[in-house]
Amino acid sequence: LEAKEQLPKIRPLLKHSHSKVRQEALKTCLLLGDSQSIKQLKESLSSLDRQEILNAILLSKLVKNPEIGNELIAMLERKTLFTFDLEMKKALVQSLAENVNPAALKVFTKILNGRHLFKSRAYNQLKVDIVKALAKYPPQQANPLLQQQLKKGSAEAVSVARQILGRNNQESIS
């Protein structure tokens, strides 16, 4: 309760000239449940600065907000012909999985079933990260995608899917 009283002192730091100060202020505000900081998080997700976007994606794990979730999904769905930012895509997958966003499963399915002509190695690594992220979802949501990977995934994706399915089956037995 006392910390929430400090929000008026912390909020001005959201506009600080140094990015690290802005990031820590935003993190603190989000942890304190400050609704005004959601607006700042949305702005950071739309920034032209790649590092600010990555930081905002990582901070989005701290909040379960439908608008933020939808923005993360839209970012993950966005395709470009010649560029593929694996680090950004991986961060999006992790953030969506951390909040167990069920709407993300549709995008995960599209990616798992898709191909990327120019960056196939990076795209396949993203697929493996998606399979790993499925471990955070309830088995009834994740298992169909995991079973699909047993048939169609790369060797690494198959191995990870098998491990997660094994854990899910153990949990359903106990």
Side-chain angles (χ1 to χ4, degrees):
L1 189 62
E2 289 178 32
K4 281 196 175 204
E5 294 169 4
Q6 300 301 317
L7 280 171
K9 294 177 183 174
I10 299 169
R11 283 188 193 118
L13 297 175
L14 294 171
K15 302 293 183 195
H16 196 275
S17 61
H18 195 277
S19 64
K20 188 70 174 162
V21 174
R22 286 193 309 271
Q23 180 184 351
E24 288 301 318
L26 182 56
K27 180 179 178 182
T28 302
C29 289
L30 290 170
L31 287 170
L32 293 174
D34 180 35
S35 58
Q36 291 179 23
S37 61
I38 298 294
K39 181 180 176 225
Q40 181 65 42
L41 185 59
K42 285 185 211 172
E43 288 175 19
S44 294
L45 287 170
S46 301
S47 172
L48 296 176
D49 179 5
R50 181 182 178 280
Q51 192 58 50
E52 186 173 350
I53 295 169
L54 274 172
N55 291 337
I57 291 168
L58 295 174
L59 289 175
S60 68
K61 294 177 187 180
L62 301 175
V63 293
K64 281 196 175 194
N65 178 289
E67 289 178 50
I68 297 294
N70 290 339
E71 179 61 27
L72 295 175
I73 289 169
M75 291 171 74
L76 184 59
E77 279 185 307
R78 220 168 276 140
K79 293 180 182 174
T80 54
L81 187 57
F82 294 108
T83 59
F84 184 80
D85 191 336
L86 180 61
E87 183 182 11
M88 184 89 63
K89 297 287 187 183
K90 287 170 78 168
L92 288 163
V93 167
Q94 291 168 2
S95 187
L96 288 164
E98 195 68 36
N99 284 321
V100 192
N101 187 323
L105 292 171
K106 285 182 183 178
V107 182
F108 291 172
T109 302
K110 285 181 193 174
I111 293 170
L112 289 170
N113 291 328
R115 294 174 191 247
H116 199 283
L117 195 58
F118 297 106
K119 299 282 186 173
S120 61
R121 184 177 292 146
Y123 201 73
N124 286 333
Q125 183 56 53
L126 178 63
K127 289 180 179 186
V128 171
D129 283 12
I130 288 172
V131 173
K132 289 176 182 175
L134 291 172
K136 297 194 181 285
Y137 283 83
Q140 65 271 22
Q141 291 178 337
N143 284 358
L145 285 173
L146 293 167
Q147 288 166 345
Q148 177 190 49
Q149 286 304 294
L150 292 179
K151 298 173 190 160
K152 295 172 31 172
S154 67
E156 188 177 1
V158 168
S159 174
V160 173
R162 192 172 284 126
Q163 289 173 2
I164 297 168
L165 282 166
R167 273 195 304 251
N168 288 351
N169 289 337
Q170 288 288 6
E171 289 173 10
S172 67
I173 293 170
S174 48

